[in-house]
Amino acid sequence: MSIVPDEESKNYLKEASDFYNKQLRGSVAEEYLKNRGLSPETMDFFNLGFVGEPMNDHTQFRGRISIPYITPNGIVSLRFKGIPKDGVLSGAKMLSIPGDLGKPRPYNTNSIITMEPTVYIVEGEP
């Protein structure tokens, strides 16, 4: 089984990613990300989003940050990070779309194909 989704799935992931990115501005997620040191430009570059109003099949991700896995071939996955309230996280730290579990992927693979002299490998998207 391939870890690369078909074109229909990639189009759906792109639509969801863009939908959630539009909800980021002015949200608790934007404030959280700013406090973590991310600029608005960085948030836009990685198309980060906020699930304030979820798409039909994403209700379980309401109130989470959306993190698309962007590759040269499009978006191949979408993960959802919980936002701690008063320093306490309620529920799982990270969630994936059902059916995507067990398919580990590197994040930000676009950085690998640049001419930058250094690539940092870290644990976790944030």
Side-chain angles (χ1 to χ4, degrees), residues 43-77:
M43 292 178 218
D44 283 342
F45 181 81
F46 290 104
N47 209 32
L48 301 178
F50 176 65
V51 185
E53 182 61 37
M55 292 177 71
N56 291 340
D57 54 345
H58 290 174
T59 56
Q60 71 271 35
F61 307 125
R62 186 185 305 273
R64 291 178 166 268
I65 296 168
S66 66
I67 304 171
Y69 278 61
I70 304 169
T71 73
N73 293 318
I75 297 175
V76 297
S77 185

Side-chain angles (χ1 to χ4, degrees), residues 6-31:
D6 60 37
E7 288 303 312
E8 182 179 340
S9 296
K10 287 193 291 187
N11 289 337
Y12 173 77
L13 291 168
K14 172 75 169 127
E15 178 186 344
S17 180
D18 290 346
F19 182 67
Y20 297 138
N21 177 260
K22 290 176 184 169
Q23 297 181 49
L24 183 63
R25 294 294 171 252
S27 72
V28 296
E30 181 183 38
E31 188 63 30

